[in-house]
Amino acid sequence: MCTARPGWQTVSFRRPAYKSTMYNLEVNLVDILNIDVKKQIVKVEPLVTMGQLTATLIPLGWSIPVVPEIDDLTVGGLVMGTGVETTSHKYGLFQHTCLAYELVLCDGSVVRCSKDENSELFYSVPWSYGTLGILTSVEIRLVPAKKYVKLKYEPVKGLDNLVKKFEDASKGNNEFVEAILYNEDEAVLMTGCQTDDCDRSKLNPVGLWYKPWFFLHVKTFLNGKLSGVEYIPLRDYYHRHTRSLFWEIQDIIPFGNNSIFRLLLGWLMPPKISLLKLTQTEAIKKLYENNHVIQDMLVPIEKLEDSVKLFKETVNIFPIWLCPFLLPPNPGMVHPKQMQNAELYVDVGVYGVPAVKNFKPKESTRKLEEYVRKVHGFQMLYADTYMSREEFRAMFDHTLYDKLRFNMKCHQAFPEVYDKVSKQARI
Ligand SMILES: Cc1cc2nc3c(=O)[nH]c(=O)nc-3n(C[C@H](O)[C@H](O)[C@H](O)COP(=O)(O)OP(=O)(O)OC[C@H]3O[C@@H](n4cnc5c(N)ncnc54)[C@H](O)[C@@H]3O)c2cc1C
Ligand SMILES: NC(=O)C1=CN([C@@H]2O[C@H](COP(=O)(O)OP(=O)(O)OC[C@H]3O[C@@H](n4cnc5c(N)ncnc54)[C@H](OP(=O)(O)O)[C@@H]3O)[C@@H](O)[C@H]2O)C=CC1
Ligand SMILES: CC(C)=CCC[C@@H](C)[C@H]1CC[C@H]2C3=C(CC[C@]12C)[C@@]1(C)CC[C@H](O)C[C@@H]1CC3
């Protein structure tokens, strides 16, 4: 069994081939169920999107701790997969901000799980891609929301310098930390905190339709010798990469950042990811398959410099997105090597056309995957993975997952994660 949500509707990069061979379960649960400000918990159904959630919560003065930036990402997809954002160095991944899940198991029973109730199931749900049960609701922590993010842009020269500053910023008191690396030697580090006060001369609602693409706006700070500060309305900040799909939109609508186009037609942007997927021709699919890389590798922060160098050597794609996150020593598929303390990791996100000669999608990606496994890192699974089943099991700890699948007789109902995310399972 799998959910009946068609592949073209999802944000995940490819379309799942298994949807046509498995029994499809309709899970059309799209509502925010309850906002309990006393307990500071919001209860939502799995198809609630990030855009829907921030539009509802922010006017009430609340938010969730980790808001992955693309509007159409769903709570179900982020729990069953993973979600990372610029607050993750403080709160962890999306799943670490969830307090409880309700699932329908393969025997038809409904269970609630949290760290104190059915805790093994609670810790096994993240990264399980719907292979332990069907998610029907999620309770997420609420945090107070302020009106603006006071964001500091700091141009940084030299990779070693950036790595040091990035690590310091992630360990400091910043609420938001992110860096965009424009080439091996130049980056802009962004750090910020929420505030209700605003210096109106520095107000920048980056989400307005006529505003430049965010990554290009950030790039303008590379030329300044001094750091810049701006006040960005909170919701504009959360969804700052939505309009340009990070930098992927420049390959789809190359004239999209032209100021006249923005002024007249910017409100049409971005095309829905689902529309792009639905209308994708075989030729475009092949193009993305053979001459494009979309990968997020999660590595321990001390491996950041080496990782950037390896990405440069293997695919040579810039910009690179850097987002730090805290990985707590919880049981489950993804945890630090030593289970004593939480460890700081970084998401190295690479999206674009490789600038190396003779790029070979399989070989190049496998080289990156091998490195990530070696340093006890993890690959995000919404995009392509070329790992074999054994390699996949070496990267993700299956101990608890296997135990639960055996106890709950999941084999008769759901495939293994690998059979949903591997290259063979996706078209
Ligand atoms: C991808 C996506 C994005 C969304 N984004 C937003 C957003 O940005 N903002 C927002 O506010 N909402 C958003 N929603 C939620 C959506 O607007 C609500 O779920 C809305 O209720 C859907 O309306 P519908 O007309 O499709 O109703 P349906 O889905 O058909 O029904 C909604 C509920 O009402 C019940 N119902 C329908 N008719 C009757 C009846 N005659 N008597 C009794 N019960 C009935 C149904 O059983 C169901 O429980 C989003 C949903 C999706 C899937
Ligand atoms: N900033 C970030 O962190 C970003 C994250 N992403 C990635 O995008 C993906 C999310 O995309 P989205 O379109 O929301 O999700 P998808 O529809 O792609 O779902 C992802 C997985 O979750 C499973 N799933 C979803 N809902 C349920 C449910 N109710 N019960 C059981 N299983 C369920 C799906 O199972 P099935 O196949 O059966 O439908 C699928 O395997 C995540 O993997 C995330 O890592 C992408 C961009 C940015
Ligand atoms: C921040 C993290 C962790 C990931 C960001 C990933 C995004 C850049 C990609 C997620 C889904 C991707 C898709 C495309 C571009 C890159 C993403 C937005 C396309 C729109 C590219 C054009 C294709 O025809 C359809 C793709 C759908 C998914």
Side-chain angles (χ1 to χ4, degrees):
M1 290 186 284
C2 62
T3 81
R5 190 171 190 226
W8 59 267
Q9 268 181 18
T10 71
V11 177
S12 298
F13 185 38
R14 304 272 180 215
R15 281 189 247 171
Y18 54 81
K19 296 256 169 176
S20 56
T21 52
M22 287 183 198
Y23 184 81
N24 286 210
L25 285 164
E26 294 284 349
V27 194
N28 292 326
L29 301 171
V30 298
D31 292 317
I32 297 174
L33 298 175
N34 187 32
I35 302 171
D36 186 336
V37 294
K38 273 212 182 101
K39 289 190 185 152
Q40 301 198 355
I41 296 174
V42 57
K43 186 170 180 183
V44 297
E45 291 182 331
L47 277 183
V48 165
T49 64
M50 287 303 106
Q52 182 185 352
L53 205 48
T54 52
T56 308
L57 291 177
I58 293 176
L60 302 175
W62 294 96
S63 182
I64 54 169
V66 174
V67 182
E69 60 297 291
I70 298 178
D71 289 22
D72 289 342
L73 286 163
T74 64
V75 169
L78 291 164
V79 165
M80 288 295 177
T82 195
V84 63
E85 237 312 299
T86 51
T87 48
S88 285
H89 63 289
K90 197 170 161 195
Y91 298 109
L93 296 170
F94 185 82
Q95 59 258 28
H96 300 124
T97 67
C98 297
L99 302 171
Y101 311 121
E102 185 193 71
L103 295 117
V104 177
L105 302 184
C106 60
D107 61 3
S109 59
V110 179
V111 291
R112 182 179 183 275
C113 60
S114 66
K115 69 179 175 39
D116 306 313
E117 184 185 359
N118 298 310
S119 68
E120 289 193 327
L121 180 59
F122 178 71
Y123 288 119
S124 300
V125 164
W127 300 80
S128 71
Y129 285 82
T131 62
L132 292 173
I134 296 297
L135 191 65
T136 46
S137 75
V138 180
E139 289 165 45
I140 311 173
R141 222 176 114 183
L142 282 176
V143 288
K146 295 191 176 159
K147 288 190 183 130
Y148 309 99
V149 174
K150 182 180 179 187
L151 194 66
K152 183 175 163 203
Y153 303 83
E154 187 183 350
V156 186
K157 299 256 188 265
L159 184 57
D160 48 349
N161 196 16
L162 171 75
V163 167
K164 165 121 197 19
K165 283 187 180 244
F166 185 76
E167 196 170 338
D168 289 349
S170 310
K171 289 179 178 162
N173 286 330
N174 302 296
E175 212 175 325
F176 304 95
V177 178
E178 167 183 29
I180 300 181
L181 204 55
Y182 290 90
N183 57 55
E184 206 184 358
D185 211 42
E186 292 180 301
V188 176
L189 173 65
M190 284 163 274
T191 49
C193 283
Q194 290 190 53
T195 170
D196 279 327
D197 308 316
C198 165
D199 170 354
R200 298 204 78 79
S201 66
K202 292 182 178 156
L203 178 64
N204 186 4
V206 296
L208 289 178
W209 77 98
Y210 56 82
K211 290 281 179 178
W213 289 339
F214 186 68
F215 75 100
L216 291 181
H217 168 62
V218 177
K219 197 176 179 188
T220 59
F221 289 91
L222 271 186
N223 308 327
K225 290 195 182 67
L226 297 172
S227 307
V229 170
E230 283 183 338
Y231 292 81
I232 303 180
L234 182 60
R235 193 157 188 267
D236 291 45
Y237 174 81
Y238 280 146
H239 300 293
R240 69 206 174 283
H241 289 302
T242 294
R243 280 194 309 125
S244 53
L245 301 174
F246 286 81
W247 24 97
E248 284 289 316
I249 200 76
Q250 62 188 352
D251 295 332
I252 302 168
I253 303 172
F255 49 83
N257 199 49
N258 174 288
S259 50
I260 298 169
F261 177 85
R262 275 190 273 123
L263 199 63
L264 297 177
L265 292 173
W267 52 275
L268 278 171
M269 293 292 109
K272 280 284 233 191
I273 290 186
S274 50
L275 179 70
L276 292 171
K277 285 180 86 173
L278 186 66
T279 55
Q280 196 180 50
T281 59
E282 205 45 44
I284 293 176
K285 199 164 105 24
K286 279 265 161 322
L287 199 72
Y288 271 87
E289 181 103 35
N290 296 325
N291 201 28
H292 208 91
V293 174
I294 293 178
Q295 282 293 341
D296 282 86
M297 296 297 191
L298 315 180
V299 294
I301 197 132
E302 63 273 12
K303 303 292 175 197
L304 175 56
E305 190 167 344
D306 289 351
S307 304
V308 170
K309 286 181 178 159
L310 183 72
F311 264 107
K312 159 107 181 30
E313 177 196 307
T314 318
V315 291
N316 194 11
I317 295 172
F318 289 95
I320 291 180
W321 191 57
L322 300 180
C323 179
F325 70 95
L326 199 66
L327 189 60
N330 293 345
M333 282 214 168
V334 168
H335 55 73
K337 194 169 183 188
Q338 309 299 335
M339 285 294 273
Q340 281 95 359
N341 296 312
E343 270 183 35
L344 199 58
Y345 272 63
V346 53
D347 176 356
V348 183
V350 174
Y351 326 114
V353 179
V356 286
K357 280 192 190 132
N358 301 322
F359 167 73
K360 294 200 178 75
K362 186 170 175 185
E363 284 78 355
S364 308
T365 313
R366 281 188 58 75
K367 186 172 165 188
L368 297 171
E369 289 168 348
E370 191 189 345
Y371 171 78
V372 172
R373 269 199 312 281
K374 205 174 79 195
V375 300
H376 199 79
F378 308 94
Q379 180 178 37
M380 276 180 80
L381 300 172
Y382 73 87
D384 294 340
T385 174
Y386 287 89
M387 285 188 281
S388 68
R389 190 180 297 273
E390 292 66 37
E391 290 163 345
F392 185 78
R393 284 186 156 260
M395 182 179 282
F396 296 98
D397 184 351
H398 280 55
T399 321
L400 194 58
Y401 174 76
D402 284 347
K403 180 180 157 191
L404 281 177
R405 272 179 64 86
F406 180 80
N407 290 348
M408 299 193 308
K409 301 190 172 56
C410 291
H411 298 89
Q412 297 165 5
F414 304 115
E416 270 197 29
V417 176
Y418 182 75
D419 294 313
K420 282 184 112 172
V421 300
S422 73
K423 200 71 189 74
Q424 302 87 280
R426 288 170 166 181
I427 45 174

